[in-house]
Amino acid sequence: MKSWLFTPLLLPALAFAEPDYPPVNWPVLIDRVTYASPGTLQTLDIQLFPLRPTLDKGHKNELNRALTLALVKSPAATLDALSDIDLFSISEDNAFMRSFTTHAVCRLPQVRYYDKASITRYYQQATRVLSASSHKNSQRCLHIMETAMNDLNVDDTHGGIAWGTEKYYVTAPGTQVPDNWPALIEQVTRGDPETLKTLPEKVFAFGLTLDGDHTSQLNHALRLALIKATPQTLDALSIIDHHQAGKHTALIQRFNTDSMCTLSVGFYYDKPSAFRYYQKATQVLKNSKYKNSQHCLWLMSKTMEAFNEEEQHGGIKWGTRFYPEPATAVPDSWPTYITQLTQAEPGAIKALPDAVFITGPVLSYEQLVEFHIAASIALMKAPALMLEALMVIDAYSGDNPRIIQHFDTYTVCGIPSAMDHTKASVIRYYRQTKQGLEKTAYQNTQQCLWMLNESMDEIMADAARSNSKWGTLTYPTQ
C-alpha cells in the first residue's frame, strides 16, 4: 500500500485509457523538477502524457535540462522518473516521450546551454553521484554519460561542438567567498548583534569579490535583519555609507543604506509577500529613533510608490519567495491551530498557506501527519474555503518545493493515512468529500476530484490485492 501522506498516486505506466487529466502549471512543474521534488518526479510521466500536443521544442529542451539538474540533486528519484518514462517511450506514442528517457537525459544534452568548462564540471559531479548510487539504472546512465563525454571530446578536437554560454557551478560560484558564508548569512538574517557589528569590516574585505548571487544573498539577509535588529543594522549600514569617499564606490553601492532601503524585495518575493515585508519594515522604522531610520523609511516609501506606479503599467516582475520566512521552531499555539483546522474554522483555513510556508519546514514527521490529516478533514467540511487556500499553495514555486508538495491540491485531495482508519470510515470520508467538491466551481476543483477518485480506487484495489487490515481510527462526519 502506498503512503497517501507524501506519495502522490503513481498509475500503471502503460494505462493509456486516459481521461480527464488535471491541468499542469508548466513553470511550477519545471521549478519542482529542477529542485528534484519527490512528489513531482514520481508522477512526472502522468503529468507529461496529456501535454503531448502542446509542448514545442523549447518546452522539451527546458524539461530535459531540468531533469539533468535534478539528476545530481536526487539521482534515485530522478532515475525512477526516467524509468517510468522509458516504459511510455516503448508504446505507440514514443516520439514525444523519447525527449525525456534515461538515454535522452544521461547523454549530456545540456551542451546547448553551458560552456565547455561548465559541462566538464557537471559531468564530474553527475558521474560522481551516479557511481555512488545503488539504483538499478545508475550504471546504465553512467555508461551513457561516459560514452557521450568521449564523443564530445572527439568532436571538440575537430571543432565540431557549438558550446553554449551559460555557467554551471557544482557549488556556489563566488571567487573568494568566506568559508563560513552560510553561517554568516544565517547570523545576519536573524539580526545577530555581534555579526552586524563586525559586518562592515568583513564587507570591505571580500565585498568586491562577490558575484551577483552572493551579493543578493547578503542584501536579502540585511533586509531581514533590518526588521529584527533595526538599530544594529542601520548602524552597520551607516559605517558602510561613510567609508572612504571615492574608494570602492561600486562596493559601497551594493551594501549601503540607499541600497538596503530601496526595497528590491520585489525581485525576491511574490507580490503579497513584498507588501507584507513593506508593512513590517515601515512599522519598525516609524517606531525607531535611530538617526538613520527616517531616511530609510523615506527611501522605502518612495520605492513602494514607484512599485505601485510601475505595476499599473505591467512593469513589475515579482519574485517567488514567501514572506515571512520559515520559522525556526514550532509555535506553542500549534495544537490549537490543528484543532481549529480540523473543525474547519474559516480563520484557520485562511491561514493554511502561512502555516504551510512558515511552520511546515520545522514540523516533525508526526506533526506533518497530523497537519495533513487536519487539512484533509477541513476539505471534507469546507471544500470551497480549502480549495481557495490550496490554490495559493499550488502557485508557489520558490525555495522549498518539498514542503509545498506535501500540501498542494494533489496531495491534500488524496485520502490521508487511509489504512489507519476503518473501511467504513474511509468510504464515508470519500463520499462526503466528493459530494462537497461536486458543488464547487474553482479552477482546482477538477484536479481535486480527479485525485480523490484515483486515490480511492487505488486504496481499494491495494487493500484487495494485499488483504491489508484496516485500522481502527475514524474520520469525523461533517
Side-chain angles (χ1 to χ4, degrees):
M1 175 62 198
K2 299 180 180 70
S3 166
W4 286 102
L5 177 60
F6 299 135
T7 308
L9 178 68
L10 182 60
L11 293 177
L14 297 177
F16 291 160
E18 71 185 281
D20 300 327
Y21 286 91
V24 174
N25 185 321
W26 183 255
V28 173
L29 177 68
I30 292 299
D31 178 81
R32 292 183 177 182
V33 172
T34 301
Y35 278 93
S37 169
T40 299
L41 289 172
Q42 190 171 23
T43 59
L44 186 60
D45 52 347
I46 300 172
Q47 297 181 66
L48 286 179
F49 196 72
L51 295 177
R52 288 166 298 162
T54 64
L55 296 187
D56 57 21
K57 183 177 180 181
H59 286 102
K60 293 177 183 177
N61 289 343
E62 189 178 17
L63 179 58
N64 188 295
R65 183 188 188 191
L67 283 164
T68 63
L69 297 175
L71 185 64
V72 295
K73 295 182 176 71
S74 183
T78 307
L79 289 170
D80 275 341
L82 298 180
S83 297
D84 292 333
I85 292 173
D86 289 342
L87 292 176
F88 268 120
S89 72
I90 62 175
S91 72
E92 309 178 343
D93 200 288
N94 56 8
F96 171 77
M97 285 297 186
R98 279 179 182 169
S99 299
F100 318 113
T101 60
T102 301
H103 184 270
V105 172
C106 296
R107 65 180 178 84
L108 296 173
Q110 62 273 36
V111 292
R112 64 172 65 89
Y113 300 105
Y114 296 120
D115 59 26
K116 182 178 178 180
S118 293
I119 288 295
T120 301
R121 283 193 292 272
Y122 174 83
Y123 172 75
Q124 291 170 344
Q125 186 181 23
T127 53
R128 185 167 61 251
V129 299
L130 288 170
S131 298
S133 172
S134 59
H135 191 277
K136 61 181 180 181
N137 230 10
S138 57
Q139 292 306 305
R140 178 181 172 225
C141 184
L142 182 62
H143 173 72
I144 293 169
M145 194 171 290
E146 289 174 340
T147 302
M149 193 64 180
N150 289 335
D151 291 343
L152 287 175
N153 287 332
V154 171
D155 287 347
D156 189 52
T157 302
H158 297 89
I161 295 293
W163 299 100
T165 58
E166 292 192 28
K167 305 292 183 183
Y168 173 83
Y169 295 94
V170 176
T171 56
T175 53
Q176 293 184 31
V177 178
D179 292 337
N180 68 337
W181 181 259
L184 176 66
I185 293 300
E186 188 272 332
Q187 290 162 354
V188 173
T189 298
R190 60 183 170 85
D192 179 67
E194 288 303 314
T195 303
L196 291 170
K197 185 176 181 179
T198 59
L199 186 64
E201 182 180 346
K202 291 184 174 70
V203 166
F204 297 143
F206 61 69
L208 283 175
T209 71
L210 296 181
D211 56 33
D213 287 342
H214 287 90
T215 297
S216 295
Q217 288 175 22
L218 185 53
N219 282 340
H220 187 233
L222 279 166
R223 288 187 177 89
L224 295 175
L226 182 64
I227 290 175
K228 299 171 185 176
T230 307
Q232 294 89 338
T233 305
L234 288 173
D235 192 31
L237 298 179
S238 182
I239 294 173
I240 297 173
D241 291 342
H242 295 92
H243 189 55
Q244 183 178 342
K247 185 179 181 181
H248 297 332
T249 302
L251 169 63
I252 305 308
Q253 291 175 347
R254 287 178 168 192
F255 303 108
N256 61 5
T257 301
D258 286 358
S259 176
M260 292 305 111
C261 298
T262 49
L263 264 183
S264 62
V265 291
F267 298 112
Y268 295 101
Y269 295 127
D270 57 33
K271 180 181 175 181
S273 294
F275 278 86
R276 279 194 293 271
Y277 173 86
Y278 170 72
Q279 291 167 357
K280 181 67 174 177
T282 53
Q283 179 184 356
V284 298
L285 288 170
K286 286 176 182 177
N287 294 331
S288 171
K289 300 187 183 304
Y290 193 76
K291 60 183 179 182
N292 223 16
S293 58
Q294 294 309 303
H295 175 59
C296 185
L297 178 61
W298 180 82
L299 287 170
M300 204 168 283
S301 300
K302 289 296 181 183
T303 307
M304 187 54 75
E305 290 176 8
F307 270 21
N308 288 328
E309 185 175 343
E310 283 194 49
E311 192 187 20
Q312 291 176 2
H313 297 88
I316 289 290
K317 184 178 181 180
W318 298 101
T320 59
R321 294 181 70 160
F322 183 89
Y323 179 82
E325 300 288 332
T328 56
V330 180
D332 293 337
S333 61
W334 187 250
T336 301
Y337 174 73
I338 291 297
T339 299
Q340 293 170 342
L341 184 61
T342 303
Q343 295 170 348
E345 294 186 11
I349 295 176
K350 186 177 181 181
L352 180 65
D354 283 4
V356 170
F357 297 141
I358 300 170
T359 307
V362 297
L363 294 176
S364 67
Y365 175 80
E366 292 76 13
Q367 288 169 324
L368 281 171
V369 172
E370 184 181 44
F371 188 13
H372 191 268
I373 292 175
S376 297
I377 292 172
L379 177 68
M380 177 185 69
K381 294 181 176 180
L385 290 176
M386 278 296 294
L387 288 175
E388 284 188 275
L390 293 176
M391 282 192 290
V392 176
I393 297 170
D394 291 343
Y396 180 81
S397 60
D399 295 341
N400 199 342
R402 288 173 176 81
I403 188 64
I404 303 310
Q405 62 100 16
H406 296 166
F407 293 96
D408 59 10
T409 296
Y410 282 106
T411 311
V412 172
C413 293
I415 302 178
S417 304
M419 299 310 295
D420 294 335
H421 295 71
T422 67
K423 182 178 180 179
S425 178
V426 172
I427 293 173
R428 185 180 68 247
Y429 171 87
Y430 165 73
R431 288 175 176 170
Q432 291 180 345
T433 305
K434 182 179 180 181
Q435 289 171 2
L437 289 171
E438 287 174 341
K439 296 175 183 177
T440 67
Y442 288 87
Q443 71 179 55
N444 56 343
T445 297
Q446 293 307 311
Q447 288 177 306
C448 193
L449 276 169
W450 181 83
M451 186 47 126
L452 182 73
N453 291 328
E454 294 295 333
S455 62
M456 187 62 179
D457 289 346
E458 182 72 8
I459 288 167
M460 300 305 289
D462 241 3
R465 282 194 301 266
S466 60
N467 294 318
S468 299
K469 292 183 179 180
W470 296 89
T472 58
L473 300 178
T474 59
Y475 292 105
T477 61
Q478 288 179 313

